[in-house]
């Protein structure tokens, strides 16, 4: 009497293992790409939100005039260089694929062109228009 049940079980396990390996080989890169794209969208939205908060503070100080001051608190997941001009604020974000995405928000102000550097973690950005001066100031505390 010959028992082939052990042979069938081994063949079934072998086919199942090869199928599982093929599934992992094809789905893992797609999963990595999807996660990278999701993180890019999240980082872009967070940066745009922070730029929007800063621009609102700038417009509020500009509207209130000399002697006014606003503080904006931002929590960042990465370091960020913010370019400030008299009519817009912008930043460049490096995406996971190596591309650069630029975000820009326009406003009215008397700010001079400058750069502010925001570090990873908590940042306090101060926008003020000192009395008896022509230009507003923006800096990180």
């Amino acid at each position: 009497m010959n028992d082939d049940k052990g042979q069938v079980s081994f063949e079934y396990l072998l086919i199942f293992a090869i199928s599982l390996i093929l599934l992992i080989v094809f789905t893992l890169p797609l999963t990595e790409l999807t996660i990278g794209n999701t993180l890019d969208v999240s980082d872009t939205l967070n940066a745009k939100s922070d730029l929007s908060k800063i621009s609102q503070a700038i417009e509020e100080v500009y509207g209130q005039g000399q002697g006014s001051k606003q503080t904006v608190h931002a929590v960042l997941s990465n370091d960020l260089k913010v370019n400030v001009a008299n009519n817009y604020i912008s930043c460049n974000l490096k995406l996971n694929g190596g591309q650069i995405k630029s975000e820009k928000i326009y406003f009215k102000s008397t700010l001079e062109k400058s750069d502010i550097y925001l570090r990873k973690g908590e940042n306090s950005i101060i926008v003020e228009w000192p009395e008896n001066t022509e230009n507003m100031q923006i800096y990180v505390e």
Side-chain angles (χ1 to χ4, degrees):
M1 190 161 144
N2 202 358
D3 189 15
D4 290 333
K5 290 183 182 178
Q7 178 70 28
V8 172
S9 294
F10 177 72
E11 289 172 354
Y12 175 75
L13 286 173
L14 187 62
I15 290 171
F16 180 74
I18 290 172
S19 299
L20 192 60
I21 289 170
L22 287 174
L23 182 67
I24 290 172
V25 164
F26 287 114
T27 59
L28 195 59
L30 293 175
T31 304
E32 183 181 349
L33 179 66
T34 303
I35 289 172
N37 289 341
T38 304
L39 290 174
D40 286 344
V41 170
S42 175
D43 290 344
T44 302
L45 289 175
N46 287 339
K48 192 165 190 165
S49 173
D50 292 333
L51 288 179
S52 180
K53 285 192 251 181
I54 295 169
S55 72
Q56 287 174 356
I58 291 169
E59 285 189 339
E60 195 166 320
V61 169
Y62 181 73
Q64 291 174 353
Q66 292 181 356
S68 59
K69 180 179 181 180
Q70 288 287 321
T71 303
V72 177
H73 299 283
V75 179
L76 303 174
S77 57
N78 295 317
D79 292 348
L80 189 64
K81 177 185 171 190
V82 178
N83 305 315
V84 180
N86 64 350
N87 64 344
Y88 70 88
I89 188 169
S90 67
C91 70
N92 293 325
L93 301 168
K94 185 174 182 182
L95 303 178
N96 286 327
Q99 307 99 320
I100 302 293
K101 170 115 173 119
S102 180
E103 291 293 330
K104 187 182 276 189
I105 297 179
Y106 292 91
F107 52 80
K108 287 186 174 183
S109 76
T110 61
L111 284 169
E112 292 182 344
K113 186 174 174 122
S114 65
D115 296 327
I116 57 174
Y117 298 92
L118 304 177
R119 303 238 182 258
K120 179 180 179 179
E122 215 171 298
N123 293 278
S124 293
I125 302 106
I126 298 178
V127 181
E128 68 177 325
W129 193 347
E131 290 189 34
N132 303 322
T133 61
E134 296 258 338
N135 294 324
M136 296 168 51
Q137 298 175 354
I138 185 168
Y139 54 91
V140 179
E141 183 173 62

